[in-house]
Amino acid sequence: MTTLRKAISKVISNSVVVKVLCFICAALLWFLVNPVGSKVITVPLNIVNRNLLDSKDIAIRNNFNDKIMVEVRGRQDKIDEITADDIVAYLDFARISSVGDRSLPIDTPVIIKDGVSIKSYSPMSVELILQQMTRKSLIATIEYVNVPDGYVVLDSSDKYRNIEVFDAESIVGIIDRVVCEVDLTGFYKDQLLLAQDCVAYNANGESLNSALTRSLRVNVDLKLAKVVPLTVMEMGTLGDGIVGEVGEPLTNGVRVTGTSGDSWEKLAFMETLYVWVDLGDIKETGTIDGRIEIDESLRLYDSVGTVRVAVTAQTYV
Protein backbone atom coordinates (compact mmCIF):
# COMPACT_ATOMS: atom_id res chain seq x y z
CA MET A 1 0.00 0.00 0.00
CA THR A 2 2.87 2.29 0.89
CA THR A 3 4.44 1.62 -2.47
CA LEU A 4 1.19 2.52 -4.31
CA ARG A 5 0.86 5.75 -2.38
CA LYS A 6 4.39 6.64 -3.26
CA ALA A 7 3.75 5.96 -6.94
CA ILE A 8 0.59 8.14 -6.96
CA SER A 9 2.42 10.88 -5.09
CA LYS A 10 5.19 10.74 -7.63
CA VAL A 11 2.75 11.08 -10.56
CA ILE A 12 0.94 14.01 -8.96
CA SER A 13 4.20 15.74 -8.23
CA ASN A 14 5.11 15.50 -11.94
CA SER A 15 3.41 18.63 -13.45
CA VAL A 16 3.78 17.46 -17.03
CA VAL A 17 1.90 14.26 -16.40
CA VAL A 18 -0.82 16.16 -14.56
CA LYS A 19 -1.24 18.56 -17.44
CA VAL A 20 -1.55 15.71 -19.94
CA LEU A 21 -4.14 13.99 -17.80
CA CYS A 22 -6.09 17.22 -17.42
CA PHE A 23 -6.03 17.81 -21.17
CA ILE A 24 -7.27 14.29 -21.86
CA CYS A 25 -10.08 14.71 -19.34
CA ALA A 26 -11.06 18.09 -20.77
CA ALA A 27 -11.06 16.69 -24.29
CA LEU A 28 -13.25 13.80 -23.26
CA LEU A 29 -15.61 16.17 -21.55
CA TRP A 30 -15.72 18.44 -24.63
CA PHE A 31 -16.59 15.57 -26.92
CA LEU A 32 -19.33 14.56 -24.51
CA VAL A 33 -20.96 17.99 -24.33
CA ASN A 34 -20.23 19.02 -27.99
CA PRO A 35 -20.63 15.88 -30.09
CA VAL A 36 -20.37 15.61 -33.87
CA GLY A 37 -23.76 16.15 -35.46
CA SER A 38 -25.52 17.01 -38.71
CA LYS A 39 -28.56 18.89 -39.98
CA VAL A 40 -30.38 19.51 -43.25
CA ILE A 41 -30.72 23.04 -44.60
CA THR A 42 -32.81 24.26 -47.54
CA VAL A 43 -30.55 26.30 -49.81
CA PRO A 44 -31.67 28.40 -52.84
CA LEU A 45 -29.79 27.81 -56.07
CA ASN A 46 -27.79 30.64 -57.60
CA ILE A 47 -28.84 30.61 -61.27
CA VAL A 48 -26.01 31.75 -63.55
CA ASN A 49 -25.70 32.23 -67.33
CA ARG A 50 -29.42 31.79 -67.99
CA ASN A 51 -29.14 34.58 -70.56
CA LEU A 52 -27.03 32.22 -72.68
CA LEU A 53 -30.21 30.26 -73.44
CA ASP A 54 -31.67 33.32 -75.17
CA SER A 55 -28.57 33.63 -77.34
CA LYS A 56 -29.12 30.02 -78.41
CA ASP A 57 -32.90 30.55 -78.89
CA ILE A 58 -33.64 27.89 -76.27
CA ALA A 59 -36.52 28.17 -73.79
CA ILE A 60 -37.31 26.24 -70.61
CA ARG A 61 -40.85 24.91 -70.76
CA ASN A 62 -41.19 23.48 -67.23
CA ASN A 63 -41.00 24.87 -63.71
CA PHE A 64 -37.96 23.39 -62.01
CA ASN A 65 -37.14 23.38 -58.30
CA ASP A 66 -34.68 26.18 -57.56
CA LYS A 67 -33.83 24.91 -54.06
CA ILE A 68 -31.83 21.96 -52.79
CA MET A 69 -31.55 20.15 -49.43
CA VAL A 70 -27.99 20.22 -48.06
CA GLU A 71 -26.90 18.01 -45.15
CA VAL A 72 -23.96 19.49 -43.24
CA ARG A 73 -21.76 17.76 -40.64
CA GLY A 74 -19.62 19.10 -37.80
CA ARG A 75 -19.43 19.84 -34.10
CA GLN A 76 -22.78 20.78 -32.63
CA ASP A 77 -21.78 24.34 -31.78
CA LYS A 78 -20.71 24.94 -35.40
CA ILE A 79 -23.78 23.19 -36.82
CA ASP A 80 -26.08 25.38 -34.74
CA GLU A 81 -24.57 28.53 -36.29
CA ILE A 82 -24.90 27.46 -39.94
CA THR A 83 -27.72 28.99 -42.03
CA ALA A 84 -28.60 28.94 -45.72
CA ASP A 85 -26.64 32.18 -46.15
CA ASP A 86 -23.45 30.28 -45.30
CA ILE A 87 -23.89 27.80 -48.18
CA VAL A 88 -23.52 28.62 -51.87
CA ALA A 89 -24.91 26.35 -54.58
CA TYR A 90 -24.81 27.09 -58.32
CA LEU A 91 -26.86 25.97 -61.30
CA ASP A 92 -24.92 26.94 -64.41
CA PHE A 93 -26.91 27.11 -67.65
CA ALA A 94 -23.71 27.49 -69.65
CA ARG A 95 -23.59 23.68 -69.61
CA ILE A 96 -26.65 23.47 -71.86
CA SER A 97 -25.67 23.10 -75.50
CA SER A 98 -28.93 21.97 -77.15
CA VAL A 99 -32.58 21.14 -76.51
CA GLY A 100 -31.47 17.53 -76.17
CA ASP A 101 -29.97 18.28 -72.75
CA ARG A 102 -32.52 17.06 -70.21
CA SER A 103 -30.58 16.99 -66.94
CA LEU A 104 -28.45 19.87 -65.65
CA PRO A 105 -26.01 18.95 -62.83
CA ILE A 106 -25.94 21.12 -59.73
CA ASP A 107 -22.45 22.13 -58.67
CA THR A 108 -21.33 20.77 -55.29
CA PRO A 109 -22.38 23.33 -52.65
CA VAL A 110 -19.66 25.26 -50.86
CA ILE A 111 -19.69 26.27 -47.17
CA ILE A 112 -18.08 29.62 -46.44
CA LYS A 113 -17.59 28.88 -42.71
CA ASP A 114 -14.88 26.70 -41.18
CA GLY A 115 -15.49 23.65 -39.04
CA VAL A 116 -18.41 22.27 -41.06
CA SER A 117 -18.44 20.06 -44.13
CA ILE A 118 -20.99 18.96 -46.74
CA LYS A 119 -22.20 15.43 -46.08
CA SER A 120 -24.69 15.24 -48.96
CA TYR A 121 -27.13 17.27 -51.04
CA SER A 122 -30.27 16.50 -52.98
CA PRO A 123 -31.20 16.67 -55.75
CA MET A 124 -27.85 16.57 -57.52
CA SER A 125 -29.33 17.72 -60.83
CA VAL A 126 -32.32 19.56 -62.26
CA GLU A 127 -34.59 17.99 -64.86
CA LEU A 128 -35.49 20.39 -67.68
CA ILE A 129 -37.84 20.42 -70.64
CA LEU A 130 -36.20 22.54 -73.31
CA GLN A 131 -37.66 23.79 -76.56
CA GLN A 132 -36.14 25.42 -79.58
CA MET A 133 -37.37 28.96 -80.19
CA THR A 134 -37.72 30.81 -83.49
CA ARG A 135 -38.53 34.31 -84.72
CA LYS A 136 -41.15 35.27 -87.29
CA SER A 137 -42.40 38.62 -88.55
CA LEU A 138 -46.17 38.90 -88.86
CA ILE A 139 -48.72 41.58 -89.70
CA ALA A 140 -50.95 42.37 -86.72
CA THR A 141 -54.39 43.79 -87.41
CA ILE A 142 -55.54 46.57 -85.09
CA GLU A 143 -59.25 46.36 -84.28
CA TYR A 144 -60.95 49.18 -82.38
CA VAL A 145 -63.92 48.40 -80.16
CA ASN A 146 -66.24 50.60 -78.10
CA VAL A 147 -65.45 53.67 -80.18
CA PRO A 148 -67.26 56.62 -78.49
CA ASP A 149 -70.54 57.64 -80.10
CA GLY A 150 -70.06 60.22 -82.81
CA TYR A 151 -66.33 59.49 -83.19
CA VAL A 152 -64.40 57.55 -85.81
CA VAL A 153 -60.88 56.21 -85.96
CA LEU A 154 -59.14 58.02 -88.79
CA ASP A 155 -57.84 56.15 -91.81
CA SER A 156 -54.35 57.48 -91.11
CA SER A 157 -54.09 55.55 -87.84
CA ASP A 158 -52.02 52.39 -88.01
CA LYS A 159 -54.51 49.62 -88.73
CA TYR A 160 -51.77 47.14 -89.56
CA ARG A 161 -48.54 46.73 -87.66
CA ASN A 162 -45.46 44.60 -88.11
CA ILE A 163 -44.94 42.44 -85.06
CA GLU A 164 -42.15 39.99 -84.29
CA VAL A 165 -43.10 36.73 -82.62
CA PHE A 166 -40.39 34.86 -80.71
CA ASP A 167 -41.55 31.57 -79.34
CA ALA A 168 -41.41 27.81 -79.70
CA GLU A 169 -41.10 26.58 -83.27
CA SER A 170 -44.14 24.34 -82.82
CA ILE A 171 -46.27 27.37 -81.86
CA VAL A 172 -44.90 30.00 -84.23
CA GLY A 173 -45.32 27.64 -87.15
CA ILE A 174 -49.12 27.45 -86.78
CA ILE A 175 -49.85 31.14 -86.18
CA ASP A 176 -52.23 32.25 -88.92
CA ARG A 177 -53.00 35.81 -87.83
CA VAL A 178 -52.50 38.24 -84.96
CA VAL A 179 -55.24 40.61 -83.80
CA CYS A 180 -54.76 43.51 -81.40
CA GLU A 181 -58.09 44.62 -79.98
CA VAL A 182 -58.00 48.18 -78.65
CA ASP A 183 -60.82 49.19 -76.29
CA LEU A 184 -61.61 52.89 -76.71
CA THR A 185 -64.10 53.18 -73.87
CA GLY A 186 -63.77 56.70 -72.48
CA PHE A 187 -61.38 57.95 -75.17
CA TYR A 188 -62.21 61.11 -77.08
CA LYS A 189 -58.85 62.44 -78.30
CA ASP A 190 -55.63 61.42 -80.02
CA GLN A 191 -53.40 59.38 -77.79
CA LEU A 192 -50.43 57.02 -77.87
CA LEU A 193 -51.61 53.76 -76.35
CA LEU A 194 -48.69 51.72 -75.03
CA ALA A 195 -48.41 47.93 -74.79
CA GLN A 196 -51.76 46.90 -76.23
CA ASP A 197 -52.28 43.15 -75.93
CA CYS A 198 -52.61 41.06 -79.07
CA VAL A 199 -54.00 37.57 -79.62
CA ALA A 200 -52.51 35.00 -81.98
CA TYR A 201 -54.86 32.60 -83.78
CA ASN A 202 -54.33 29.44 -85.79
CA ALA A 203 -56.08 28.69 -89.08
CA ASN A 204 -59.09 27.31 -87.19
CA GLY A 205 -59.57 30.58 -85.33
CA GLU A 206 -58.35 29.12 -82.02
CA SER A 207 -56.39 31.37 -79.68
CA LEU A 208 -52.78 30.35 -79.15
CA ASN A 209 -52.03 32.77 -76.34
CA SER A 210 -52.19 30.10 -73.65
CA ALA A 211 -49.40 28.25 -75.44
CA LEU A 212 -47.26 31.33 -76.10
CA THR A 213 -44.52 31.91 -73.56
CA ARG A 214 -44.28 35.63 -74.26
CA SER A 215 -46.99 38.26 -74.50
CA LEU A 216 -47.68 39.90 -77.84
CA ARG A 217 -48.02 43.66 -77.50
CA VAL A 218 -47.90 46.71 -79.75
CA ASN A 219 -48.00 50.47 -79.27
CA VAL A 220 -50.90 52.13 -81.07
CA ASP A 221 -50.88 55.75 -82.23
CA LEU A 222 -54.59 56.49 -81.91
CA LYS A 223 -56.06 59.15 -84.23
CA LEU A 224 -59.68 60.12 -83.56
CA ALA A 225 -62.12 62.51 -85.15
CA LYS A 226 -65.65 63.51 -84.28
CA VAL A 227 -68.24 63.45 -87.03
CA VAL A 228 -70.08 66.74 -86.60
CA PRO A 229 -73.44 67.36 -88.35
CA LEU A 230 -73.82 70.48 -90.52
CA THR A 231 -76.50 73.14 -90.23
CA VAL A 232 -77.04 75.51 -93.18
CA MET A 233 -77.29 79.22 -92.41
CA GLU A 234 -78.25 81.86 -95.00
CA MET A 235 -76.75 85.29 -95.45
CA GLY A 236 -77.17 88.04 -98.00
CA THR A 237 -80.05 88.35 -100.46
CA LEU A 238 -81.07 86.76 -103.70
CA GLY A 239 -80.20 88.57 -106.88
CA ASP A 240 -82.76 90.63 -108.81
CA GLY A 241 -85.20 88.50 -110.78
CA ILE A 242 -84.29 85.24 -108.93
CA VAL A 243 -86.47 83.13 -106.72
CA GLY A 244 -84.36 80.54 -104.91
CA GLU A 245 -84.17 78.14 -102.04
CA VAL A 246 -81.30 76.61 -100.09
CA GLY A 247 -81.37 72.83 -99.53
CA GLU A 248 -79.18 70.47 -97.53
CA PRO A 249 -75.41 69.97 -97.70
CA LEU A 250 -74.33 67.10 -99.92
CA THR A 251 -72.28 65.88 -96.93
CA ASN A 252 -74.17 64.89 -93.80
CA GLY A 253 -71.25 65.69 -91.52
CA VAL A 254 -67.54 66.45 -91.46
CA ARG A 255 -64.72 64.89 -89.44
CA VAL A 256 -63.20 67.31 -86.96
CA THR A 257 -60.09 66.87 -84.83
CA GLY A 258 -58.64 68.79 -81.93
CA THR A 259 -55.20 70.33 -81.67
CA SER A 260 -54.82 70.54 -77.88
CA GLY A 261 -56.41 69.38 -74.68
CA ASP A 262 -58.76 72.37 -74.53
CA SER A 263 -59.83 71.99 -78.14
CA TRP A 264 -60.70 68.33 -77.61
CA GLU A 265 -62.88 69.41 -74.69
CA LYS A 266 -64.68 71.87 -76.98
CA LEU A 267 -65.11 69.19 -79.60
CA ALA A 268 -66.64 66.80 -77.08
CA PHE A 269 -69.53 69.19 -76.49
CA MET A 270 -69.95 70.30 -80.11
CA GLU A 271 -73.32 69.34 -81.60
CA THR A 272 -73.20 71.03 -85.01
CA LEU A 273 -71.17 73.25 -87.35
CA TYR A 274 -72.73 76.11 -89.28
CA VAL A 275 -72.41 76.23 -93.04
CA TRP A 276 -72.94 79.74 -94.36
CA VAL A 277 -74.48 80.13 -97.80
CA ASP A 278 -74.50 83.50 -99.56
CA LEU A 279 -77.88 83.84 -101.28
CA GLY A 280 -76.31 86.23 -103.76
CA ASP A 281 -74.31 83.27 -105.18
CA ILE A 282 -77.46 81.43 -106.25
CA LYS A 283 -77.86 81.76 -110.04
CA GLU A 284 -79.40 78.45 -111.04
CA THR A 285 -80.53 75.14 -109.66
CA GLY A 286 -77.56 73.00 -108.65
CA THR A 287 -74.94 73.25 -105.90
CA ILE A 288 -72.85 76.07 -104.55
CA ASP A 289 -70.09 76.31 -101.95
CA GLY A 290 -71.03 76.91 -98.36
CA ARG A 291 -68.39 78.11 -95.90
CA ILE A 292 -67.95 76.04 -92.73
CA GLU A 293 -67.60 78.14 -89.60
CA ILE A 294 -65.18 76.47 -87.18
CA ASP A 295 -63.16 77.46 -84.11
CA GLU A 296 -59.53 78.17 -84.97
CA SER A 297 -58.37 75.63 -82.40
CA LEU A 298 -60.12 72.83 -84.32
CA ARG A 299 -59.22 71.21 -87.63
CA LEU A 300 -61.35 69.86 -90.46
CA TYR A 301 -59.84 66.50 -91.36
CA ASP A 302 -61.22 66.00 -94.88
CA SER A 303 -62.45 69.44 -95.95
CA VAL A 304 -60.83 72.67 -97.10
CA GLY A 305 -63.42 74.68 -95.22
CA THR A 306 -66.24 74.53 -97.69
CA VAL A 307 -68.92 72.04 -98.58
CA ARG A 308 -71.31 71.83 -101.52
CA VAL A 309 -74.91 72.76 -100.72
CA ALA A 310 -77.93 72.00 -102.90
CA VAL A 311 -79.88 75.04 -104.14
CA THR A 312 -82.83 75.68 -106.45
CA ALA A 313 -83.32 78.84 -108.47
CA GLN A 314 -85.85 80.25 -110.87
CA THR A 315 -85.70 83.52 -112.76
CA TYR A 316 -88.62 85.74 -113.46
CA VAL A 317 -89.17 88.95 -115.41
Side-chain angles (χ1 to χ4, degrees):
M1 181 68 77
T2 303
T3 303
L4 180 59
R5 288 177 178 176
K6 287 182 178 181
I8 295 173
S9 177
K10 185 177 180 180
V11 170
I12 294 174
S13 64
N14 189 331
S15 62
V16 175
V17 174
V18 172
K19 290 178 180 179
V20 172
L21 290 174
C22 290
F23 177 79
I24 293 173
C25 291
L28 290 173
L29 182 62
W30 172 255
F31 282 113
L32 288 174
V33 300
N34 189 32
V36 173
S38 65
K39 74 174 179 178
V40 176
I41 301 174
T42 301
V43 178
L45 290 172
N46 287 283
I47 310 297
V48 295
N49 294 318
R50 186 161 184 169
N51 61 308
L52 294 181
L53 295 184
D54 290 336
S55 66
K56 299 173 184 177
D57 288 347
I58 294 176
I60 301 173
R61 299 308 299 269
N62 66 309
N63 295 321
F64 61 88
N65 191 358
D66 60 356
K67 295 180 177 63
I68 60 173
M69 307 300 291
V70 179
E71 185 177 5
V72 295
R73 186 175 186 275
R75 291 292 168 191
Q76 196 61 51
D77 63 328
K78 297 292 186 180
I79 291 293
D80 291 340
E81 295 176 355
I82 292 293
T83 68
D85 294 335
D86 301 315
I87 303 174
V88 181
Y90 289 98
L91 185 66
D92 189 356
F93 281 92
R95 295 181 176 181
I96 294 178
S97 58
S98 71
V99 294
D101 296 331
R102 299 299 184 186
S103 181
L104 182 60
I106 299 172
D107 293 345
T108 301
V110 176
I111 295 183
I112 59 178
K113 280 191 175 181
D114 296 329
V116 180
S117 61
I118 300 291
K119 184 178 180 181
S120 65
Y121 65 96
S122 177
M124 301 182 70
S125 63
V126 168
E127 299 304 313
L128 300 173
I129 299 176
L130 303 178
Q131 193 159 29
Q132 190 65 49
M133 308 288 279
T134 189
R135 300 177 189 274
K136 184 178 181 180
S137 292
L138 298 168
I139 301 297
T141 302
I142 312 297
E143 294 184 355
Y144 300 97
V145 298
N146 296 321
V147 180
D149 290 340
Y151 287 81
V152 293
V153 178
L154 295 177
D155 296 336
S156 63
S157 59
D158 42 2
K159 185 177 181 180
Y160 302 99
R161 294 290 304 278
N162 289 321
I163 188 171
E164 185 179 79
V165 180
F166 178 58
D167 217 288
E169 286 181 334
S170 59
I171 300 299
V172 173
I174 62 173
I175 293 178
D176 181 64
R177 62 192 180 96
V178 177
V179 177
C180 305
E181 189 175 275
V182 181
D183 189 346
L184 299 185
T185 301
F187 285 94
Y188 63 92
K189 62 181 179 180
D190 293 349
Q191 192 163 337
L192 178 62
L193 306 178
L194 301 176
Q196 299 298 296
D197 290 330
C198 302
V199 180
Y201 296 93
N202 62 16
N204 296 325
E206 299 166 333
S207 170
L208 301 174
N209 276 35
S210 60
L212 293 170
T213 59
R214 305 180 185 220
S215 298
L216 302 178
R217 293 188 173 94
V218 296
N219 297 333
V220 176
D221 189 10
L222 176 65
K223 300 291 184 183
L224 279 179
K226 184 174 183 179
V227 180
V228 182
L230 300 175
T231 300
V232 174
M233 303 294 290
E234 300 176 1
M235 64 180 183
T237 58
L238 292 168
D240 293 340
I242 295 178
V243 175
E245 189 176 85
V246 177
E248 297 295 325
L250 300 188
T251 302
N252 292 330
V254 291
R255 294 182 290 184
V256 183
T257 64
T259 57
S260 65
D262 291 342
S263 63
W264 283 104
E265 292 286 350
K266 292 179 182 178
L267 185 58
F269 293 98
M270 182 177 291
E271 297 181 355
T272 188
L273 282 174
Y274 294 126
V275 178
W276 291 94
V277 174
D278 189 343
L279 297 178
D281 293 335
I282 299 176
K283 307 298 182 184
E284 60 184 2
T285 297
T287 62
I288 63 173
D289 282 336
R291 178 179 57 83
I292 300 173
E293 181 183 352
I294 187 169
D295 189 287
E296 62 180 9
S297 65
L298 301 174
R299 294 288 181 270
L300 294 169
Y301 177 71
D302 47 5
S303 173
V304 294
T306 60
V307 64
R308 300 298 286 181
V309 179
V311 296
T312 58
Q314 183 177 355
T315 60
Y316 64 93
V317 180

